[in-house]
Amino acid sequence: MSDIWVVFIVVLISWLGLAGYFLFLHNKTKELEKTVKELQDSIKGRN
Amino acid sequence: MKKASSIVLLVVSFIWIPLIIWGSFMYAPSAKGLGHTARIIFYHVPLAWISVVAFFISAWYSWKVLQGINQESQEISKFDTFAATAAELGLLFAFLATVTGSIWAKKIWGSYWNWDPRETSIFILLIIYGAYFALRTAITNPQDKLRLSAVYSLIAVVTVPFFVFIVPRIFASLHPDPLINEQGKIHMDGKMLLVFLNSLAAFTIMFFYIYKTKIKIKLLQLTISELEEEYE
């Protein structure tokens, strides 16, 4: 396999990694937003 | 608004970037003299560009921290988060630019590291911004941390144009000429330029998305710890 194909595959894998990272950030944000809401509701309920 | 940013993200991630990858290998021709190795420009230059943008953003928010510190503004810890996150991403992208440049150097110059002026200047820049985080970790007093890291970031940013734009032009280097040459013109094949400009734009959007989301995560974590304290 020529070098250019190796580089092409490496770039494609990097892109998949990047897309995965985007997904991770997105899910983490959603998860934290949910926790904030739950805590706010708990505080409201207690008061 | 949230939906629009999600659509932009989907388009960039799953349509634009794959098209750029395809274009960089299949559409853009190889360059005279450098052959296929010239294709690194589509990744290496945007990475370096983003790191410069990020370091300037960090300096801007550091300036805002210093402006607000005497007025005891509540916003300053937010600005500090903005500055630190930008510096963090700047350092990451500078590191990635170094790695991609190093791979290119191995192919063209025969060695991963040659202490070429470009390599030396980015190495110093990595140390300067690495020290920024060492400083932040070392200071325990929150007020001192805000003030000192803001001052450091403002001093550090002065070195960015010097190391990125001036040093490589003062000393003789084997590194290919900058994109905009000494006559202020761009000498690049039309197809290459098209892919390159698209890559630059997509990487910039990608950077701002990551930056925005990382800030959001940090601020949410801060809110959670405040709410947990209030709950207890």
Side-chain angles (χ1 to χ4, degrees), chain A residues 3-5 7-8 11-12 15 18-19 21-22 24-26 28-30 32-33 35-36 39-40 42-43 46-47, chain B residues 2 9 13-14 17-18 21 25-26 36 39 43 107 206 209-210 213-214 216-217 220-221 223-224 227-228 230-231:
Chain A
D3 285 356
I4 189 78
W5 281 105
V7 176
F8 181 61
V11 171
L12 271 182
W15 165 67
L18 183 73
Y21 182 59
F22 281 170
F24 164 76
L25 286 178
H26 183 76
K28 178 111 181 157
T29 313
K30 293 271 167 229
L32 290 171
E33 278 172 345
T35 313
V36 167
L39 276 167
Q40 282 170 338
S42 306
I43 291 168
R46 202 177 56 173
N47 293 339
Chain B
K2 259 187 181 176
L9 177 68
S13 309
F14 296 104
I17 292 180
I21 295 173
F25 286 92
M26 313 294 176
H36 286 307
R39 297 180 201 278
Y43 305 96
K107 192 78 186 164
M206 183 189 82
Y209 170 76
I210 297 174
T213 315
K214 275 185 87 76
K216 199 173 175 184
I217 288 173
L220 281 168
Q221 282 168 337
T223 312
I224 287 171
L227 286 171
E228 276 172 347
E230 198 183 325
Y231 190 71

Side-chain angles (χ1 to χ4, degrees), chain B residues 20-135:
Chain B
I20 290 164
I21 295 173
W22 172 82
S24 66
F25 286 92
M26 313 294 176
Y27 177 72
S30 56
K32 275 180 194 166
L34 294 172
H36 286 307
T37 66
R39 297 180 201 278
I40 195 95
I41 195 177
F42 305 123
Y43 305 96
H44 174 70
V45 178
L47 288 170
W49 151 253
I50 288 170
S51 69
V52 172
V53 171
F55 291 146
F56 273 94
I57 291 174
S58 174
W60 169 253
Y61 282 114
S62 297
W63 172 248
K64 302 269 271 180
V65 168
L66 292 179
Q67 267 188 328
I69 215 152
N70 292 331
Q71 297 146 20
E72 291 181 3
S73 162
Q74 294 295 311
E75 293 276 276
I76 54 166
S77 71
K78 216 184 246 185
F79 291 147
D80 179 66
T81 306
F82 293 175
T85 309
E88 194 183 304
L89 288 175
L91 189 64
L92 172 72
F93 283 105
F95 175 74
L96 291 174
T98 311
V99 170
T100 50
S102 187
I103 293 167
W104 178 85
K106 170 71 178 164
K107 192 78 186 164
I108 291 292
W109 297 338
S111 162
Y112 286 110
W113 201 261
N114 309 277
W115 294 109
D116 180 85
R118 284 266 182 190
E119 290 174 329
T120 310
S121 54
I122 199 143
F123 177 71
I124 298 170
L125 211 58
L126 287 173
I127 290 175
I128 289 172
Y129 276 92
Y132 170 78
F133 291 101
L135 178 79

